[in-house]
PDB file of all heavy atoms in Angstrom:
ATOM      1  N   SER A1387      25.958 157.916  98.646  1.00 96.00           N
ATOM      2  CA  SER A1387      26.574 156.682  98.125  1.00 96.00           C
ATOM      3  C   SER A1387      28.107 156.756  98.110  1.00 96.00           C
ATOM      4  O   SER A1387      28.778 156.273  97.200  1.00 96.00           O
ATOM      5  CB  SER A1387      26.091 156.405  96.712  1.00 96.00           C
ATOM      6  OG  SER A1387      24.710 156.133  96.696  1.00 96.00           O
ATOM      7  N   ARG A1388      28.716 157.310  99.201  1.00 95.00           N
ATOM      8  CA  ARG A1388      30.134 157.510  99.216  1.00 95.00           C
ATOM      9  C   ARG A1388      30.914 156.465 100.013  1.00 95.00           C
ATOM     10  O   ARG A1388      32.037 156.105  99.629  1.00 95.00           O
ATOM     11  CB  ARG A1388      30.456 158.874  99.881  1.00 95.00           C
ATOM     12  CG  ARG A1388      29.993 160.053  99.083  1.00 95.00           C
ATOM     13  CD  ARG A1388      31.006 160.425  98.018  1.00 95.00           C
ATOM     14  NE  ARG A1388      30.790 161.781  97.510  1.00 95.00           N
ATOM     15  CZ  ARG A1388      31.567 162.412  96.683  1.00 95.00           C
ATOM     16  NH1 ARG A1388      32.644 161.826  96.276  1.00 95.00           N
ATOM     17  NH2 ARG A1388      31.305 163.634  96.277  1.00 95.00           N
ATOM     18  N   PHE A1389      30.355 155.952 101.101  1.00 97.00           N
ATOM     19  CA  PHE A1389      31.185 155.260 102.097  1.00 97.00           C
ATOM     20  C   PHE A1389      31.144 153.731 101.963  1.00 97.00           C
ATOM     21  O   PHE A1389      30.103 153.140 101.730  1.00 97.00           O
ATOM     22  CB  PHE A1389      30.764 155.689 103.498  1.00 97.00           C
ATOM     23  CG  PHE A1389      30.979 157.135 103.751  1.00 97.00           C
ATOM     24  CD1 PHE A1389      29.931 158.049 103.626  1.00 97.00           C
ATOM     25  CD2 PHE A1389      32.225 157.607 104.086  1.00 97.00           C
ATOM     26  CE1 PHE A1389      30.134 159.394 103.835  1.00 97.00           C
ATOM     27  CE2 PHE A1389      32.463 158.933 104.284  1.00 97.00           C
ATOM     28  CZ  PHE A1389      31.416 159.866 104.184  1.00 97.00           C
ATOM     29  N   ASP A1390      32.324 153.130 102.145  1.00 97.00           N
ATOM     30  CA  ASP A1390      32.441 151.673 102.149  1.00 97.00           C
ATOM     31  C   ASP A1390      31.801 151.080 103.394  1.00 97.00           C
ATOM     32  O   ASP A1390      31.182 149.992 103.319  1.00 97.00           O
ATOM     33  CB  ASP A1390      33.905 151.253 102.079  1.00 97.00           C
ATOM     34  CG  ASP A1390      34.603 151.775 100.847  1.00 97.00           C
ATOM     35  OD1 ASP A1390      34.085 151.541  99.747  1.00 97.00           O
ATOM     36  OD2 ASP A1390      35.649 152.416 100.987  1.00 97.00           O
ATOM     37  N   ARG A1391      31.962 151.758 104.542  1.00 98.00           N
ATOM     38  CA  ARG A1391      31.418 151.296 105.798  1.00 98.00           C
ATOM     39  C   ARG A1391      30.939 152.502 106.613  1.00 98.00           C
ATOM     40  O   ARG A1391      31.578 153.569 106.575  1.00 98.00           O
ATOM     41  CB  ARG A1391      32.420 150.464 106.591  1.00 98.00           C
ATOM     42  CG  ARG A1391      32.903 149.234 105.896  1.00 98.00           C
ATOM     43  CD  ARG A1391      33.911 148.455 106.707  1.00 98.00           C
ATOM     44  NE  ARG A1391      34.672 147.559 105.856  1.00 98.00           N
ATOM     45  CZ  ARG A1391      34.490 146.250 105.773  1.00 98.00           C
ATOM     46  NH1 ARG A1391      33.574 145.659 106.507  1.00 98.00           N
ATOM     47  NH2 ARG A1391      35.230 145.525 104.954  1.00 98.00           N
ATOM     48  N   ILE A1392      29.853 152.293 107.338  1.00 98.00           N
ATOM     49  CA  ILE A1392      29.372 153.330 108.210  1.00 98.00           C
ATOM     50  C   ILE A1392      29.078 152.763 109.591  1.00 98.00           C
ATOM     51  O   ILE A1392      28.484 151.687 109.730  1.00 98.00           O
ATOM     52  CB  ILE A1392      28.036 153.945 107.640  1.00 98.00           C
ATOM     53  CG1 ILE A1392      28.332 154.702 106.325  1.00 98.00           C
ATOM     54  CG2 ILE A1392      27.393 154.904 108.659  1.00 98.00           C
ATOM     55  CD1 ILE A1392      27.042 155.256 105.686  1.00 98.00           C
ATOM     56  N   MET A1393      29.520 153.516 110.626  1.00 98.00           N
ATOM     57  CA  MET A1393      29.185 153.203 112.011  1.00 98.00           C
ATOM     58  C   MET A1393      28.064 154.139 112.455  1.00 98.00           C
ATOM     59  O   MET A1393      28.224 155.356 112.342  1.00 98.00           O
ATOM     60  CB  MET A1393      30.396 153.367 112.924  1.00 98.00           C
ATOM     61  CG  MET A1393      30.101 153.348 114.410  1.00 98.00           C
ATOM     62  SD  MET A1393      29.446 151.769 114.978  1.00 98.00           S
ATOM     63  CE  MET A1393      30.907 150.718 114.744  1.00 98.00           C
ATOM     64  N   LEU A1394      26.942 153.583 112.903  1.00 98.00           N
ATOM     65  CA  LEU A1394      25.892 154.384 113.483  1.00 98.00           C
ATOM     66  C   LEU A1394      25.626 153.898 114.882  1.00 98.00           C
ATOM     67  O   LEU A1394      24.846 152.994 115.126  1.00 98.00           O
ATOM     68  CB  LEU A1394      24.610 154.294 112.612  1.00 98.00           C
ATOM     69  CG  LEU A1394      23.391 155.014 113.188  1.00 98.00           C
ATOM     70  CD1 LEU A1394      23.693 156.443 113.562  1.00 98.00           C
ATOM     71  CD2 LEU A1394      22.229 154.961 112.202  1.00 98.00           C
ATOM     72  N   ASP A1395      26.358 154.497 115.842  1.00 98.00           N
ATOM     73  CA  ASP A1395      26.094 154.251 117.248  1.00 98.00           C
ATOM     74  C   ASP A1395      25.061 155.267 117.661  1.00 98.00           C
ATOM     75  O   ASP A1395      25.364 156.395 118.016  1.00 98.00           O
ATOM     76  CB  ASP A1395      27.387 154.394 118.040  1.00 98.00           C
ATOM     77  CG  ASP A1395      27.221 154.035 119.497  1.00 98.00           C
ATOM     78  OD1 ASP A1395      26.603 152.996 119.759  1.00 98.00           O
ATOM     79  OD2 ASP A1395      27.667 154.799 120.379  1.00 98.00           O
ATOM     80  N   ALA A1396      23.797 154.849 117.597  1.00 97.00           N
ATOM     81  CA  ALA A1396      22.655 155.804 117.632  1.00 97.00           C
ATOM     82  C   ALA A1396      22.464 156.382 119.028  1.00 97.00           C
ATOM     83  O   ALA A1396      22.569 155.695 120.029  1.00 97.00           O
ATOM     84  CB  ALA A1396      21.410 155.089 117.189  1.00 97.00           C
ATOM     85  N   PRO A1397      22.103 157.683 119.101  1.00 96.00           N
ATOM     86  CA  PRO A1397      21.693 158.246 120.345  1.00 96.00           C
ATOM     87  C   PRO A1397      20.499 157.439 120.891  1.00 96.00           C
ATOM     88  O   PRO A1397      19.559 157.161 120.142  1.00 96.00           O
ATOM     89  CB  PRO A1397      21.277 159.656 119.977  1.00 96.00           C
ATOM     90  CG  PRO A1397      22.022 159.962 118.707  1.00 96.00           C
ATOM     91  CD  PRO A1397      22.102 158.645 117.988  1.00 96.00           C
TER      92      PRO A1397
END
Side-chain angles (χ1 to χ4, degrees):
S1387 295
R1388 292 277 196 172
F1389 296 98
D1390 299 307
R1391 298 179 200 257
I1392 294 177
M1393 168 64 67
L1394 175 50
D1395 185 45

